Amino acid sequence: MVAPMLAAPLKGFTKYITPYVSLTNLDPILSRTTFICGTTNSLFESKNDWFDVLGSFSTGSVVAKDAMQVRGSDREFIKNVLAGIADGKTETWVREQFRIY
């Protein structure tokens, strides 16, 4: 359940988390205008009408259908984390940044 760990520090996003969805019943996500879920199923990567932003663990990329804007303290937080990753900080450091924020 990666989505709750990643979204929880970003204020206001936890109400959109859907930790588990069965491929036989996509209603919990497709019936909503906004949701956050994590998946390792590559089917989601081929269904770009199912998502606005997709973080792919298989390719290590983030795919966005439209431009997103992150503002204020959330933007500074993300910039700091990305800078730390670029500087070679460890996964433990990244997790600690999310915990503190």
Side-chain angles (χ1 to χ4, degrees):
M1 295 208 321
V2 174
M5 188 184 325
L6 292 175
L10 303 175
K11 295 163 183 52
F13 284 86
T14 54
K15 63 185 172 187
Y16 302 115
I17 295 173
T18 305
Y20 178 80
V21 176
S22 168
L23 287 176
T24 60
N25 181 14
L26 296 172
D27 287 343
I29 58 172
L30 297 182
S31 64
R32 299 165 70 179
T33 57
T34 304
F35 64 89
I36 299 170
C37 67
T39 182
T40 56
N41 191 315
S42 59
L43 179 62
F44 277 82
E45 294 180 38
S46 66
K47 300 286 190 178
N48 63 2
D49 57 323
W50 288 3
F51 64 84
D52 293 319
V53 177
L54 171 83
S56 172
F57 289 103
S58 61
T59 64
S61 63
V62 175
V63 178
K65 286 198 307 190
D66 299 312
M68 288 182 49
Q69 292 186 1
V70 179
R71 295 187 175 99
S73 62
D74 288 344
R75 179 180 172 83
E76 293 306 311
F77 168 73
I78 293 297
K79 285 173 61 176
N80 178 54
V81 170
L82 292 175
I85 292 169
D87 289 342
K89 301 284 187 181
T90 65
E91 179 182 344
T92 302
W93 180 86
V94 173
R95 288 178 182 271
E96 182 67 9
Q97 300 312 299
F98 275 89
R99 189 191 67 74
I100 292 169
Y101 189 72

